[in-house]
Amino acid sequence: MRYIVGYGPQQRGVDAINLASTLARSSGASLDLVVVLPDDAPTFDMYSPDHAYNTELRKQAGEWLEDGLARVPADVPAQGHLVNAESIGEGLVEKAEEPGEGAGMIVVGTSHHVRLGSIADALLHSASVPVALTPSEYEPQQTITRITCATGVREGHEALVQFAIKAASEWKVPLRLMSLVAVGEAGSDEQRQDWTELAQLHIATIAQKAAEQLPAECPVTTVVGQGTTLVEAVNGLEFSPSELVMAGSSRLAQPRRLFLGRTATKMMRVLPVPMIVVPRDYEPDES
């Protein structure tokens, strides 16, 4: 298994390496650090300005890649790649979809805590593999110690839950199933209670099925976040620095593709831990 890591000289590049290294320790994956360069403009003159610019840019990118590889912990296997593409997002997706050993994930940093940034946003509307997003200035952890899976009652949650179960089993960590209840400004206490009871019943059913598929060393728990808004519901929950949240793609996504919905976007803006967004109908490549 390999993870594609989008790297650049900014803080978000460091954040991506920190998260990818943490994930690799848990899963046994290797890392492919990728620096994406613009498509080379064709030129037949080695003394042309285009040729000189591209040569200098590639040299600079090589130095960035060396810097990134030096930041990867010694116990995590990693190699670097310079690729050319029309955009960074396109370059990372193409690298992930290369023939041969398929990538299990793309890992990128966000611009800061409340904004995804153009690279992450592009990936979340095009990737065919899960995309892991870091909060700003993410500190590396020894391993992932718990997976929290955000699941609702809408069609399509089954693939996300199965992906979370598979990861919890392979990483040997507990699985927490999370549902969020946001009743809005006009919501009454009675409405909140009714919705909360429905959410608890729903995830209890999922938890029972999940527990049947997981070993005893991977206990399954449930939690329901409540609030007037989704942000309030998320902020009312406890998260460990060494856990991550998994969320599903919007129903607007094409099969096996990502499209980040409003709920996942709002969650990402307030979560203090990384989030992995899983494509609709995603089935990991067993090879």
Side-chain angles (χ1 to χ4, degrees):
M1 178 66 70
R2 63 191 182 101
Y3 297 154
I4 305 299
V5 187
Y7 185 71
Q10 308 93 341
Q11 178 62 43
R12 63 187 178 207
V14 177
D15 292 339
I17 287 177
N18 289 344
L19 174 57
S21 299
T22 302
L23 292 170
R25 286 199 185 106
S26 296
S27 65
S30 62
L31 305 184
D32 282 359
L33 265 65
V34 178
V35 174
V36 181
L37 299 171
D39 274 335
D40 287 330
T43 177
F44 299 98
D45 182 1
M46 66 177 296
Y47 299 106
S48 72
D50 283 345
H51 182 86
Y53 172 77
N54 289 334
T55 300
E56 184 60 31
L57 186 61
R58 195 167 187 83
K59 177 183 176 182
Q60 178 67 75
E63 293 174 359
W64 292 341
L65 203 54
E66 289 181 8
D67 175 72
L69 289 170
R71 296 176 183 273
V72 178
D75 60 335
V76 176
Q79 55 183 330
H81 306 271
L82 297 178
V83 302
N84 292 90
E86 291 187 4
S87 70
I88 295 176
E90 183 178 305
L92 296 176
V93 170
E94 288 177 355
K95 191 66 180 176
E97 295 179 348
E98 280 184 345
E101 183 187 358
M105 200 176 302
I106 297 174
V107 186
V108 293
T110 55
S111 293
H112 50 73
H113 193 64
V114 297
R115 188 164 68 87
L116 290 175
S118 59
I119 300 170
D121 188 62
L123 286 170
L124 291 171
H125 288 81
S126 62
S128 59
V129 298
V131 173
L133 305 165
T134 70
S136 181
E137 299 184 2
Y138 176 74
E139 292 293 331
Q141 307 294 315
Q142 186 58 39
T143 59
I144 297 297
T145 58
R146 182 172 68 181
I147 294 171
T148 290
C149 179
T151 180
V153 297
R154 292 180 175 178
E155 180 183 354
H157 71 271
E158 296 88 353
L160 168 65
V161 172
Q162 283 304 127
F163 181 80
I165 290 172
K166 179 178 174 62
S169 177
E170 292 180 351
W171 302 358
K172 296 179 174 56
V173 295
L175 173 63
R176 181 171 69 160
L177 297 168
M178 174 180 72
S179 185
L180 301 173
V181 174
V183 297
E185 295 290 346
S188 64
D189 290 341
E190 182 179 358
Q191 186 179 44
R192 177 182 297 192
Q193 182 176 349
D194 289 344
W195 288 9
T196 300
E197 289 177 357
L198 286 173
Q200 289 172 334
L201 180 62
H202 175 67
I203 59 174
T205 301
I206 297 175
Q208 181 178 355
K209 295 178 180 179
E212 293 171 356
Q213 300 178 57
L214 287 168
E217 62 186 314
C218 305
V220 180
T221 58
T222 64
V223 65
V224 176
Q226 308 172 47
T228 301
T229 65
L230 190 71
V231 170
E232 189 176 302
V234 173
N235 284 334
L237 299 177
E238 295 291 334
F239 294 94
S240 164
S242 56
E243 78 175 288
L244 58 80
V245 170
M246 290 185 177
S249 179
S250 165
R251 291 175 298 167
L252 296 176
Q254 296 297 314
R256 288 185 60 84
R257 290 284 171 177
L258 277 177
F259 190 95
L260 196 64
R262 288 182 297 175
T263 298
T265 300
K266 291 178 181 178
M267 283 175 51
M268 183 63 212
R269 289 173 175 168
V270 296
L271 280 173
V273 298
M275 182 168 77
I276 296 176
V277 187
V278 181
R280 176 186 164 197
D281 301 328
Y282 180 71
E283 295 180 4
D285 184 350
E286 294 298 332
S287 63

